[in-house]
Amino acid sequence: MNDNGCIHLNNFKAAKGTKPYKVVNAFFVSCTSFDARRYKATTCVCFTCGKPGPRMHSCLHCIYFGCYAGHIQDHSKSKKHFLYIDLSYGNVFCAQCQDYIYDREITEIALTNRVKEAKSLGVSVPYIPWLPNHNEAMALKRLRKRRVISQHTTIGLRGLQNLGSTCFMNCIVQTLIHTPLLRDYFLGEKHKCKSQGSGKCLVCEVSKLFQEFYSGAKTPLTLHRLLHLIWTHARHLAGYEQQDAHEFFIATLDVIHRHCMNGVEDVEKKENGRCNCIIDQIFTGGLQSDVVCTSCSGVSTTIDPFWDISLDIAGTSLQTCLERFTRAEHLGSAAKIKCSNCRAYRESTKQLTLETLPIVASFHLKRFEHSSQIDRKISTFISFPAELDLTPFLSSHRRAVDVGAADNNNAPEGIFEDNRYSLFAVVNHLGSLDAGHYTAYVRQMKGSWFKCDDHMITRASLREVLDSEGYLLFYHKTVLEYEGDVS
Amino acid sequence: MTFDNENILIKEAHPRLTSSGDRDRFKELLRKRLIECGWRDQVRAMCRKFVKENNGPNNVTFDMLVNQVTPRARALVPDSIKRELINKIRENLHRQRNQ
Ligand SMILES: [Zn+2]
Ligand SMILES: [Zn+2]
Ligand SMILES: [Zn+2]
Ligand SMILES: [Zn+2]
Ligand SMILES: [Zn+2]
Ligand SMILES: [Zn+2]
């Protein structure tokens, strides 16, 4: 089977072009406008039996609608019309060949309309799986070696040597290596380096690291070079003494992001002028702060980008910490803020909510308290779930709750919204403040967890992960939405 | 389902769901859920196996494939997904009625 159609479709296209297909597709298959949807709603029934399907088809010649089981076959016999469009999927059926026909041009039209339809519905654009182009197909034929991923593969798992007290770094590297979207980016060799081969590009170094992790070798790796590169870029982390894993995480993201910004890579800025590098695509969310003046109820809203959320240890679970984080807080008389409405300093309340969610949501439980009097670690157990729904902490959701909308959870758009996240890495700090050790749990595949303790990698159960103390918690969006480019 | 119910569904609910775009949104939601739970991969494997057993795509028509795979594919849809979709559609219809 190929995608060059059949002789009947080709004859039709030669006589009438693709316009008939295009029009029927845009009105009855992928409705690209509100009018099209309304039109489809009232007319899309079988002209013979009056039912809306199953498997409604439209005659490509005269736009007769009929169900597949019988009525289009009758139509083709009586009218000698042989080409039909499946109104559910847009495929073309040829009654002479008695099968569906693949045609490249038709497929492209159908795809363009599907993207337009998704835009007009406000849903994510359909995922288009990777198809090898000619060169890639040739390469695949030439290189016959394949690696099959099964339940028992240990691919991607490698220990990291401790170079003094570098466990803080090892556990962050393990987390990044097992961040699904970041892995796909680097293993897909998406980093197009401008300073190729100079040996100074940190992003290239990270890229190489991914290759080594997934090479299939099992011996522990040593991170000398990466360490050196990060240290030259983030001087405050220099030295071999123990550092804070959280600080290292943020510094690493920052170093990679700045590398991309400073022209190592051609990164297109987003409309709002913000950086759109791989780090920002994956880790950046928007934090909304609403300050409400208690005198005039005027609201001033600001939105700031964030890479992670630091949470005070409050209550017993991640959710209670998040509730506390997004609760409206009275700022009191000691912290008056200038209200632009009243033109005076006023008392106010402040509320933080999540305006946009990142693909990876990183939570930092503030277990370390540093003050002039005392430095201490809070080891309270905070439970955290394997699956987390962030909907209740969204700005839009909070607004609905405050306004008291009838049933906030079921706001029309709420049904189709999906803000579920899955845990994929946990960094733990063991021991005391000054004699501590970091380890990480990472999810290698769905349901497959491993503990990374420097050079040692051991299998772990989800229970074990969820029972751990938890210092840094990493969640990945469960279902990815796609944005398409459509002109 | 009785005939009356079916009639109401065709005459009222179906056009309303279509014109509001919710029918397509539900379709998209269902598609997502089926991918998530591995259903699509299972069905794809079933199709591939069937095509192989019949000596390649040139000996298989779409109808043969549909007839072979549909009953088993239907049975493989997890109950939790059916329940979620039914509840959401019911909710949606109620809300539209009350408007
Ligand atoms: Zn019919
Ligand atoms: Zn016709
Ligand atoms: Zn034909
Ligand atoms: Zn580079
Ligand atoms: Zn950036
Ligand atoms: Zn005011």
Side-chain angles (χ1 to χ4, degrees):
Chain A
M1 200 156 289
N2 55 44
D3 58 2
N4 298 324
C6 69
I7 175 128
H8 316 104
L9 178 60
N10 287 342
N11 286 343
F12 180 87
K13 283 205 310 189
K16 302 202 172 149
T18 54
K19 186 97 191 280
Y21 177 84
K22 212 180 256 175
V23 172
V24 175
N25 186 289
F27 268 87
F28 301 105
V29 181
S30 303
C31 302
T32 53
S33 67
F34 174 72
D35 283 340
R37 269 196 295 279
R38 210 176 41 196
Y39 203 53
K40 177 177 175 174
T42 48
T43 57
C44 212
V45 289
C46 175
F47 286 6
T48 303
C49 68
K51 289 191 180 161
R55 294 181 68 189
M56 281 290 291
H57 283 60
S58 165
C59 174
L60 194 54
H61 305 259
C62 70
I63 321 207
Y64 157 89
F65 288 172
C67 23
Y68 182 79
H71 295 137
I72 65 161
Q73 312 284 352
D74 292 350
H75 182 81
S76 80
K77 271 190 207 114
S78 61
K79 292 280 178 356
K80 302 272 176 288
H81 291 165
F82 297 114
L83 295 165
Y84 298 86
I85 304 171
D86 179 338
L87 295 183
S88 302
Y89 304 102
N91 299 325
V92 173
F93 179 80
C94 173
Q96 270 169 308
C97 299
Q98 272 300 310
D99 204 357
Y100 289 89
I101 304 303
Y102 294 94
D103 178 273
R104 181 160 293 202
E105 237 183 313
I106 296 280
T107 309
E108 264 161 33
I109 295 168
L111 194 64
T112 313
N113 282 348
R114 264 193 82 188
V115 173
K116 282 188 191 158
E117 179 193 35
K119 290 245 151 144
S120 95
L121 289 172
V123 300
S124 72
V125 168
Y127 165 68
I128 301 146
W130 173 74
L131 282 174
N133 61 29
H134 181 73
N135 286 342
E136 288 161 341
M138 294 309 279
L140 280 170
K141 272 195 182 136
R142 222 172 31 246
L143 304 161
R144 309 244 33 134
K145 200 177 158 199
R146 302 279 185 274
R147 202 169 279 141
V148 179
I149 308 285
S150 77
Q151 284 279 287
H152 306 285
T153 18
T154 52
I155 193 163
L157 294 170
R158 286 190 84 168
L160 290 167
Q161 296 291 2
N162 193 325
L163 314 167
S165 298
T166 54
C167 53
F168 71 95
M169 178 172 78
N170 289 350
C171 62
I172 294 304
V173 168
Q174 293 286 7
T175 298
L176 294 175
I177 291 285
H178 290 94
T179 301
L181 221 58
L182 201 60
R183 176 200 60 203
D184 294 352
Y185 174 84
F186 280 112
L187 290 185
E189 299 191 319
K190 296 282 188 208
H191 167 59
K192 301 272 176 280
C193 194
K194 281 206 218 152
S195 64
Q196 211 125 43
S198 67
K200 283 190 188 130
C201 177
L202 181 95
V203 190
C204 283
E205 209 55 39
V206 176
S207 195
K208 264 187 228 151
L209 190 63
F210 270 90
Q211 301 284 350
E212 287 190 56
F213 260 90
Y214 288 88
S215 70
K218 287 179 183 159
T219 48
L221 285 161
T222 309
L223 291 176
H224 279 302
R225 264 189 70 76
L226 187 73
L227 195 61
H228 179 77
L229 271 167
I230 293 183
W231 281 347
T232 42
H233 288 97
R235 295 211 174 271
H236 62 287
L237 292 175
Y240 278 89
E241 64 270 22
Q242 179 72 285
Q243 299 281 352
D244 180 37
H246 173 246
E247 231 172 87
F248 182 78
F249 170 64
I250 296 299
T252 306
L253 295 192
D254 188 51
V255 167
I256 299 176
H257 149 80
R258 274 191 284 137
H259 251 72
C260 296
M261 282 250 291
N262 296 338
V264 176
E265 213 173 289
D266 290 310
V267 184
E268 275 177 48
K269 292 254 169 76
K270 291 210 286 198
E271 302 107 59
N272 57 16
R274 294 231 174 93
C275 178
N276 199 27
C277 75
I278 187 62
I279 296 299
D280 286 298
Q281 280 179 44
I282 296 177
F283 295 95
T284 300
L287 188 63
Q288 178 168 329
S289 156
D290 293 303
V291 175
V292 184
C293 168
T294 43
S295 305
C296 72
S297 299
V299 187
S300 102
T301 298
T302 51
I303 294 163
D304 291 305
F306 69 86
W307 275 339
D308 76 329
I309 291 173
S310 289
L311 297 167
D312 288 315
I313 305 280
T316 55
S317 69
L318 175 62
Q319 286 94 327
T320 52
C321 292
L322 276 165
E323 267 157 33
R324 172 88 169 256
F325 180 77
T326 52
R327 199 171 64 187
E329 208 179 329
H330 193 75
L331 292 179
S333 54
K336 287 187 179 169
I337 288 178
K338 188 162 185 182
C339 170
S340 57
N341 246 354
C342 305
R343 294 169 191 278
Y345 284 88
R346 299 287 196 211
E347 285 188 26
S348 49
T349 57
K350 181 179 170 183
Q351 184 170 27
L352 297 174
T353 44
L354 306 178
E355 200 260 341
T356 40
L357 295 172
I359 290 171
V360 168
S362 319
F363 300 107
H364 164 223
L365 297 176
K366 292 202 245 169
R367 294 194 174 277
F368 299 112
E369 226 175 38
H370 300 287
S371 68
S372 50
Q373 289 92 32
I374 195 168
D375 285 347
R376 67 175 187 128
K377 182 186 168 188
I378 307 164
S379 291
T380 317
F381 177 72
I382 300 287
S383 69
F384 49 91
E387 306 292 331
L388 175 68
D389 190 347
L390 286 175
T391 307
F393 313 108
L394 286 179
S395 312
S396 53
H397 184 85
R398 278 284 143 126
R399 214 164 22 242
V401 175
D402 292 345
V403 174
D407 41 1
N408 50 65
N409 229 339
N410 308 325
E413 68 276 17
I415 294 189
F416 302 103
E417 235 180 63
D418 192 342
N419 303 304
R420 291 169 305 149
Y421 283 74
S422 310
L423 188 70
F424 75 93
V426 177
V427 169
N428 280 299
H429 180 268
L430 316 165
S432 65
L433 202 58
D434 34 33
H437 179 55
Y438 283 107
T439 61
Y441 288 106
V442 296
R443 188 186 65 179
Q444 179 222 18
M445 277 190 277
K446 205 176 176 193
S448 212
W449 284 87
F450 289 86
K451 183 181 185 175
C452 306
D453 185 349
D454 289 332
H455 61 280
M456 289 220 309
I457 308 284
T458 45
R459 195 174 270 281
S461 67
L462 177 62
R463 190 67 267 157
E464 192 183 330
V465 177
L466 299 181
D467 283 344
S468 70
E469 195 175 89
Y471 174 47
L472 305 175
L473 311 172
F474 298 91
Y475 286 87
H476 203 282
K477 196 158 187 326
T478 312
V479 180
L480 295 177
E481 322 269 335
Y482 292 85
E483 281 173 31
D485 301 314
V486 109
S487 44
Chain B
M1 196 176 281
T2 68
F3 182 72
D4 272 356
N5 269 337
E6 199 180 323
N7 244 355
I8 289 171
L9 208 62
I10 292 169
K11 287 231 166 68
E12 292 180 26
H14 195 268
R16 211 164 46 199
L17 276 171
T18 305
S19 63
S20 66
D22 283 344
R23 187 176 183 276
D24 292 314
R25 291 192 187 94
F26 280 122
K27 226 167 88 179
E28 201 43 50
L29 182 70
L30 176 62
R31 198 199 313 271
K32 252 195 224 169
R33 291 291 185 268
L34 291 176
I35 294 172
E36 255 178 271
C37 73
W39 180 88
R40 192 183 58 171
D41 290 335
Q42 281 173 297
V43 174
R44 192 174 276 165
M46 268 158 56
C47 294
R48 203 167 268 160
K49 189 162 160 260
F50 181 73
V51 170
K52 261 191 193 158
E53 282 167 0
N54 287 276
N55 306 316
N58 291 329
N59 301 308
V60 177
T61 66
F62 184 80
D63 281 354
M64 283 163 70
L65 198 60
V66 166
N67 292 337
Q68 173 71 24
V69 170
T70 305
R72 278 172 61 208
R74 281 232 168 96
L76 280 175
V77 178
D79 285 342
S80 58
I81 293 181
K82 291 187 205 163
R83 223 174 297 127
E84 182 190 350
L85 260 293
I86 288 176
N87 285 339
K88 285 188 167 163
I89 292 171
R90 190 175 287 146
E91 220 174 78
N92 181 292
L93 290 176
H94 272 298
R95 191 178 319 111
Q96 295 212 8
R97 257 191 177 202
N98 296 336
Q99 265 169 14

